[in-house]
Amino acid sequence: MKSPKPSLSVQAVLFDAYGTLFDVYSVGTLAEQLFPGQGEALAVLWRDKQIEYTRLVSMSQRYRPFWELTRAGLRYACARLQLDLTPERETQLLNQYRHLGAFPENKAVLTALKARGVTTGILSNGDPEMLGIAVRSAGYVDDKGQGLLDHVLSVESVQRFKTDPAAYALGPQALGIPARQILFVSSNGWDAIGATWYGYCTLWVNRFKLPLEALDTEPTRTGSSLRDVLDFFPKT
Amino acid sequence: MKSPKPSLSVQAVLFDAYGTLFDVYSVGTLAEQLFPGQGEALAVLWRDKQIEYTRLVSMSQRYRPFWELTRAGLRYACARLQLDLTPERETQLLNQYRHLGAFPENKAVLTALKARGVTTGILSNGDPEMLGIAVRSAGYVDDKGQGLLDHVLSVESVQRFKTDPAAYALGPQALGIPARQILFVSSNGWDAIGATWYGYCTLWVNRFKLPLEALDTEPTRTGSSLRDVLDFFPKT
């Protein structure tokens, strides 16, 4: 069994949601049906614009809910790719986004973490309603909010998106322990770097074998699937 | 002669530098020589990452000079495109970036503005050294800082990149007039929107016929070349 260095005494884990637990590119299939030959390009540009918009409004202190920015990103991406986004197609694509596919290994990992007594949660740019639907759809929490996740934290409460420190501060505040004792897990390289800057112990789940962001900062560790989280919490 | 609405009583003009006065994609030619078939892809991704990095470090309150982020963006873009960026090639490409081509109409527009008695300047993410080299290379100012530009403002002094309000605040502070009396000109749609949010009168020079950012905000006007600036300052 691989075991973490003794200094990595993490007691809890917070997951990014979009891209990490939920597959933001799973909308590509429907996009391809609606716009043959352009599905992948649309899925990629949609995601890029969505994230770009979170940063613009956050930097400009003009927060808007993630859901609105998700719709805005879709509209821009279709305009840019010259795709005819009818109201019906927009509704279909947004409905798909509301019920994104979850990565297959997630549930086993979350179940194992609970079995090991680890506190778990989400810390996401998503707004509470989106997150609520997504985690219930994936079966991580039941209607009473009980289940595999102890915390579902949305940046909505601070009106700043990641990588603003106010967003990352939600973790230590909710869990009552310092960031260095919390493992923050993201598949988004920039999010893993932002969380590292903030002071978290971090795991970058590099699902697409992308280069590390060239910002002279490394996440604590890099893995390839959510399973790599378990190495931080050895069975006792 | 087209004339602005009476309410647009602008007294000065501030230009964005990169993309607006200087052609950031002019590095594509050298990039294509160094990496045949990949020059355009590299120029686009390099620019995207450079801008992304300004936002990440600004949001995370970890400012780094634009020059460093320009280099970081180049390194990431080459890694992502699997291009072999030798130290020699990096030096060549960065040297090219230091001496970006200026758009051909600029000088006539700046000269006409001076003839009409308009205060002019740059408000840029670039650091002072980069800007100094670029404006001297383009012949906008001489070695004593005299010439077609009255102000060269860099966000370095506030350690925040656009679209942070602290960056846009540099304009009114330096010019001593409110933002609504200053025309802010950018070819970057997001920058035109950010400046509009801040309170400037804005012109988006949409050189590439891109869609408007889907953020429910329009620049005061949209044009297609720097010449459109002159409509705001009719000959008297």
Side-chain angles (χ1 to χ4, degrees):
Chain A
M1 188 184 75
K2 285 181 285 180
S3 85
K5 293 173 196 164
S7 63
L8 298 178
S9 57
V10 286
Q11 301 172 24
V13 55
L14 288 175
F15 296 94
D16 168 58
Y18 296 99
T20 302
L21 295 179
F22 307 112
D23 183 1
V24 291
Y25 299 116
S26 63
V27 293
T29 308
L30 174 60
E32 180 66 25
Q33 286 166 16
L34 295 175
F35 306 109
Q38 298 282 337
E40 188 184 345
L42 176 56
V44 170
L45 186 57
W46 181 4
R47 170 67 174 169
D48 284 354
K49 292 305 290 191
Q50 175 202 48
I51 295 300
E52 181 180 6
Y53 286 168
T54 63
R55 295 173 184 165
L56 290 176
V57 302
S58 202
M59 287 178 82
S60 290
Q61 300 168 19
R62 290 186 168 244
Y63 178 85
R64 293 172 61 177
F66 195 61
W67 183 250
E68 285 184 28
L69 298 177
T70 299
R71 185 178 57 202
L74 173 61
R75 288 176 178 176
Y76 181 91
C78 285
R80 182 83 174 80
L81 297 170
Q82 299 184 292
L83 304 176
D84 181 23
L85 184 67
T86 61
E88 190 187 10
R89 286 169 174 165
E90 178 176 295
T91 301
Q92 280 181 276
L93 284 163
L94 286 174
N95 196 40
Q96 186 88 352
Y97 205 97
R98 222 183 266 276
H99 300 91
L100 289 174
F103 290 102
E105 76 271 22
N106 296 0
K107 210 157 181 176
V109 171
L110 291 172
T111 304
L113 288 169
K114 292 319 295 176
R116 295 178 196 184
V118 178
T119 299
T120 60
I122 282 176
L123 171 49
S124 169
N125 274 343
D127 37 272
E129 190 189 346
M130 288 177 77
L131 290 171
I133 294 169
V135 299
R136 281 195 301 274
S137 294
Y140 303 154
V141 281
D142 59 27
D143 289 341
K144 291 173 188 161
Q146 302 297 307
L148 299 170
L149 294 164
D150 300 304
H151 300 270
V152 179
L153 308 173
S154 163
V155 303
E156 192 190 68
S157 61
V158 290
Q159 311 266 303
R160 290 286 187 283
F161 288 104
K162 297 186 273 186
T163 60
D164 192 300
Y168 291 118
L170 289 167
Q173 284 161 11
L175 274 58
I177 53 176
R180 68 177 183 279
Q181 292 176 17
I182 303 171
L183 176 66
F184 183 84
V185 181
S186 183
S187 294
N188 299 297
W190 54 269
D191 190 18
I193 298 297
T196 305
W197 283 338
Y198 184 79
Y200 284 95
C201 179
T202 53
L203 171 66
W204 176 31
V205 178
N206 185 9
R207 295 187 188 278
F208 302 108
K209 297 187 169 49
L210 294 173
L212 181 68
E213 300 295 348
L215 289 167
D216 301 324
T217 299
E218 289 196 32
T220 313
R221 289 192 190 172
T222 298
S224 58
S225 104
L226 216 67
R227 286 187 216 288
D228 296 308
V229 172
L230 297 176
D231 291 338
F232 285 82
F233 303 96
K235 285 182 195 165
T236 48
Chain B
M1 187 183 75
K2 284 181 285 182
S3 84
K5 292 174 197 164
S7 63
L8 297 179
S9 59
V10 287
Q11 302 171 24
V13 56
L14 287 175
F15 297 93
D16 168 57
Y18 296 99
T20 303
L21 296 179
F22 307 113
D23 182 1
V24 293
Y25 299 116
S26 63
V27 294
T29 308
L30 173 60
E32 181 64 26
Q33 285 166 17
L34 296 175
F35 305 110
Q38 298 282 336
E40 189 185 343
L42 176 55
V44 170
L45 186 57
W46 182 2
R47 171 67 175 169
D48 284 353
K49 291 305 290 192
Q50 175 201 48
I51 295 301
E52 181 180 7
Y53 286 169
T54 64
R55 295 171 184 166
L56 289 176
V57 302
S58 203
M59 289 178 81
S60 290
Q61 300 169 20
R62 290 188 167 242
Y63 177 84
R64 292 171 62 176
F66 195 60
W67 183 251
E68 284 183 28
L69 299 177
T70 299
R71 186 177 56 203
L74 173 61
R75 289 177 178 175
Y76 182 91
C78 285
R80 183 82 174 79
L81 297 170
Q82 299 185 293
L83 303 176
D84 181 22
L85 183 68
T86 61
E88 189 186 11
R89 287 170 173 164
E90 179 176 294
T91 301
Q92 280 180 277
L93 285 162
L94 287 174
N95 196 41
Q96 187 87 353
Y97 205 96
R98 221 183 265 277
H99 300 92
L100 289 174
F103 290 102
E105 75 273 21
N106 296 0
K107 211 156 179 176
V109 171
L110 291 172
T111 303
L113 288 169
K114 292 320 294 174
R116 295 178 196 184
V118 178
T119 299
T120 59
I122 283 176
L123 171 48
S124 168
N125 274 343
D127 36 273
E129 190 189 346
M130 288 177 77
L131 291 171
I133 295 169
V135 298
R136 281 194 302 273
S137 294
Y140 303 154
V141 282
D142 60 27
D143 289 341
K144 291 174 187 159
Q146 302 297 305
L148 299 170
L149 294 164
D150 301 305
H151 300 271
V152 179
L153 309 173
S154 163
V155 303
E156 193 190 67
S157 61
V158 290
Q159 311 268 302
R160 290 286 188 282
F161 288 104
K162 295 186 277 187
T163 61
D164 191 301
Y168 291 118
L170 290 168
Q173 284 162 11
L175 274 57
I177 53 176
R180 69 177 182 280
Q181 292 176 16
I182 303 171
L183 177 65
F184 183 85
V185 181
S186 184
S187 293
N188 299 295
W190 55 268
D191 190 18
I193 298 298
T196 305
W197 283 339
Y198 184 79
Y200 284 95
C201 178
T202 53
L203 171 66
W204 175 33
V205 178
N206 185 9
R207 296 187 187 278
F208 302 107
K209 296 187 168 51
L210 294 173
L212 181 68
E213 301 294 347
L215 289 166
D216 300 325
T217 299
E218 288 196 33
T220 313
R221 289 191 190 172
T222 298
S224 58
S225 104
L226 215 65
R227 287 186 215 287
D228 296 308
V229 172
L230 297 176
D231 291 339
F232 286 84
F233 303 96
K235 285 182 195 165
T236 49

